Amino acid sequence: MSLLDLSFTDLPLLRLLANTVDILLVWFVIYKLIMIVKGTKAVQLVKGIFIILIVKVLSDILHLQTLGWMMEQVLLWGVLAIIIIFQPELRRALEQLGRGKFFVRSGNQEEMDQDQLVTAIIKSVDYMAKRRIGALISIERETGMGDYIETGIPLHSKISSELLINIFIPNTPLHDGAVIIQKSQIAAAACYLPLSESPFISKELGTRHRAAMGISEVTDSITIIVSEETGGISVAKNGELTRDLKLDQLKELLNEKLIHSAKSKQSSSTLWNWRGKKNG
C-alpha cells in the first residue's frame, strides 16, 4: 500500500492532530454558546435542563420507571417548548451570532463605566429626593432584561445625571415607568416592570415600590426608588426592599455591587492572562 492510498486519519500523528483540533473546536463552540446565553433568562433554562438530566440519570440508576418515563417526555417535548417560550431570546442570540458581537470590553473600561454610572445615579437621586420627584431606576446585571426594555421607549444613551433628572420630571412623556440601565447606558425609559404579589409588602408603598420588588424577584438587578410622597430612597434587590437609605449608604451599596464586582472580574481576567503567558 502506497502513502497515497492511506487516508488522512490512518497516520497516527495526523490522527492525533485531527482529534486535538476537533476537541478544541467543540470547546470553542461551547464557549461561544455560553457567552451568547450569558446575561439572558436562558441561563435559568440551562440550569433547569441540567436538573432534568440529573433526575433522569438518577431515575435510571435507581430503576424509577415512572419518574424516568416522565423525564423522557419532558426531554422529548421540551425542545419544542423551548423554541416557543424563548423565541425572543433565540432571535437575539442568532442576531448576535450574525453580527459577531463576541468581544468583551477590557476590565479597566468596565470599571470606569461603572464609576461614572454610580456618580450619575447618586447625583440625580440626590436632586430628585430633595424635590420629591418620583423615580424608578433599574440596573441590569447578569440576568438580561431585554423583555422589559422592549416595553419602554428605547434611548441607548450615555448616562448622565442631567438626563436621568429630565426623564423623571413630572408631566413629561417619559416620567411614568422605569428607566433600565444596561451596560452603563440608559437602554430605555417608561418601561413596565412586573408588580410583586408578595403579601409582605407594606400597604403604604405604591406602584413604584411594588414594581421594584417585582423585578428583583425575577432578575438579579438593582432597582432604586425615590418616593414621590416622602422623597425617601429605597433599593430592591434579590426580592428584598431596603427603605430610607441615606445617600452615602446608597453610594456604598452601588460601589460594592457594581464597581467592586467589575474589579473582581478584572482581577480574574488578569490572573487568567498572566497564567496563559507564563505557560507559553
Side-chain angles (χ1 to χ4, degrees):
M1 182 182 292
S2 65
L3 183 61
L4 295 176
D5 294 329
L6 294 175
S7 65
F8 179 80
T9 56
D10 286 335
L11 300 175
L13 182 60
L14 294 179
R15 189 186 309 124
L16 177 61
L17 179 60
N19 291 337
T20 303
V21 172
D22 187 24
I23 294 172
L24 291 176
L25 287 175
V26 170
W27 277 110
F28 179 76
V29 171
I30 293 174
Y31 169 75
K32 291 302 181 183
L33 289 175
I34 292 174
M35 295 305 296
I36 291 174
V37 169
K38 184 181 178 181
T40 69
K41 292 189 296 184
V43 173
Q44 278 69 35
L45 172 66
V46 173
K47 292 179 181 178
I49 292 174
F50 274 115
I51 293 174
I52 292 174
L53 291 174
I54 291 172
V55 173
K56 178 65 172 64
V57 171
L58 290 176
S59 65
D60 291 340
I61 294 174
L62 300 176
H63 302 290
L64 304 176
Q65 297 180 358
T66 304
L67 183 59
W69 178 84
M70 290 177 61
M71 293 301 101
E72 286 180 1
Q73 299 306 308
V74 170
L75 293 173
L76 179 63
W77 297 102
V79 176
L80 181 60
I82 289 170
I83 294 174
I84 296 173
I85 296 173
F86 290 91
Q87 185 269 336
E89 284 78 9
L90 291 173
R91 186 187 69 244
R92 282 194 292 270
L94 291 174
E95 288 174 353
Q96 291 181 16
L97 183 63
R99 289 194 296 264
K101 290 188 174 181
F102 298 122
F103 300 101
V104 183
R105 295 174 301 172
S106 66
N108 287 330
Q109 182 62 45
E110 183 178 358
E111 185 182 338
M112 290 174 60
D113 290 344
Q114 298 293 356
D115 186 52
Q116 293 175 0
L117 169 63
V118 171
T119 301
I121 289 177
I122 293 299
K123 186 176 179 181
S124 61
V125 167
D126 182 32
Y127 181 95
M128 292 185 287
K130 289 178 179 177
R131 293 160 180 80
R132 297 189 179 182
I133 299 173
L136 184 60
I137 304 170
S138 191
I139 306 170
E140 180 189 82
R141 299 180 72 197
E142 296 297 325
T143 306
M145 300 178 66
D147 292 344
Y148 307 106
I149 291 173
E150 291 176 356
T151 66
I153 308 299
L155 296 179
H156 303 294
S157 305
K158 184 177 180 180
I159 190 167
S160 68
S161 58
E162 292 79 9
L163 180 55
L164 282 173
I165 292 169
N166 274 281
I167 288 174
F168 289 110
I169 293 296
N171 302 320
T172 56
L174 299 179
H175 89 282
D176 277 334
V179 161
I180 296 180
I181 296 175
Q182 182 184 59
K183 296 179 181 179
S184 301
Q185 286 190 335
I186 300 178
C191 300
Y192 293 97
L193 303 183
L195 299 181
S196 174
E197 298 180 0
S198 172
F200 302 105
I201 300 178
S202 174
K203 294 182 178 179
E204 68 183 26
L205 298 178
T207 305
R208 283 192 181 92
H209 290 82
R210 285 193 170 272
M213 281 291 291
I215 194 65
S216 74
E217 291 169 354
V218 296
T219 70
D220 62 347
S221 61
I222 298 175
T223 304
I224 303 159
I225 314 102
V226 178
S227 173
E228 190 173 356
E229 289 76 19
T230 65
I233 303 169
S234 305
V235 170
K237 60 182 180 68
N238 300 327
E240 297 179 354
L241 181 67
T242 305
R243 300 176 59 186
D244 299 323
L245 284 172
K246 294 181 180 179
L247 209 62
D248 56 347
Q249 292 176 314
L250 175 62
K251 185 175 182 179
E252 182 180 352
L253 186 149
L254 294 178
N255 283 336
E256 178 185 353
K257 298 298 181 181
L258 301 178
I259 296 179
H260 292 175
S261 177
K263 286 182 178 179
S264 298
K265 291 181 181 178
Q266 181 184 357
S267 299
S268 300
S269 177
T270 303
L271 180 61
W272 175 263
N273 291 334
W274 178 81
R275 285 178 176 175
K277 291 178 180 178
K278 182 179 178 181
N279 293 334

